[in-house]
Amino acid sequence: MRRTFWFAASLLACASQVGGVEFEKPVRLTAGGNPIRVESPGYAAPCWADVDGDGVKDLLVGQFRQGKIHYFKNLGGGKLASGEWLKAEGATAEVPGVW
């Protein structure tokens, strides 16, 4: 009983802190001067990671369809290079899934 009380109290404390969070206004990202688009059906999973080891995080956008990942090299100054499919051993990489 005591453990349940402390768990519930912890959840309430966390929930009260989350209430004041605000996000910045959305911005349309461009790569190579064009808006970044995702494949249909549109389920995308963006992530920032230093893919090429240059110390700057690049944009990776995972696509639901066929498990492909679009790679946009970060050129600095808020600019991204035109995207290309992430490759592994010379072929377009695919993340296996249940689709």
Side-chain angles (χ1 to χ4, degrees):
M1 177 75 172
R2 213 175 176 155
R3 188 177 276 174
T4 303
F5 169 77
W6 286 113
F7 180 71
S10 298
L11 285 177
L12 287 174
C14 290
S16 67
Q17 293 177 1
V18 173
V21 174
E22 292 185 29
F23 292 100
E24 294 289 329
K25 291 183 180 182
V27 295
R28 180 171 301 276
L29 293 177
T30 60
N34 298 310
I36 294 176
R37 302 181 57 93
V38 297
E39 290 186 341
S40 180
Y43 306 119
C47 170
W48 293 95
D50 183 11
V51 175
D52 53 11
D54 64 358
V56 181
K57 291 185 178 181
D58 307 298
L59 178 63
L60 298 168
V61 182
Q63 305 289 319
F64 177 76
R65 189 177 191 194
Q66 297 177 329
K68 297 184 293 185
I69 300 173
H70 224 141
Y71 162 65
F72 301 91
K73 179 174 174 49
N74 190 337
L75 302 174
K79 295 185 179 182
L80 299 169
S82 295
E84 60 185 60
W85 293 116
L86 190 66
K87 302 215 183 281
E89 298 179 0
T92 299
E94 291 184 17
V95 179
V98 293
W99 51 83

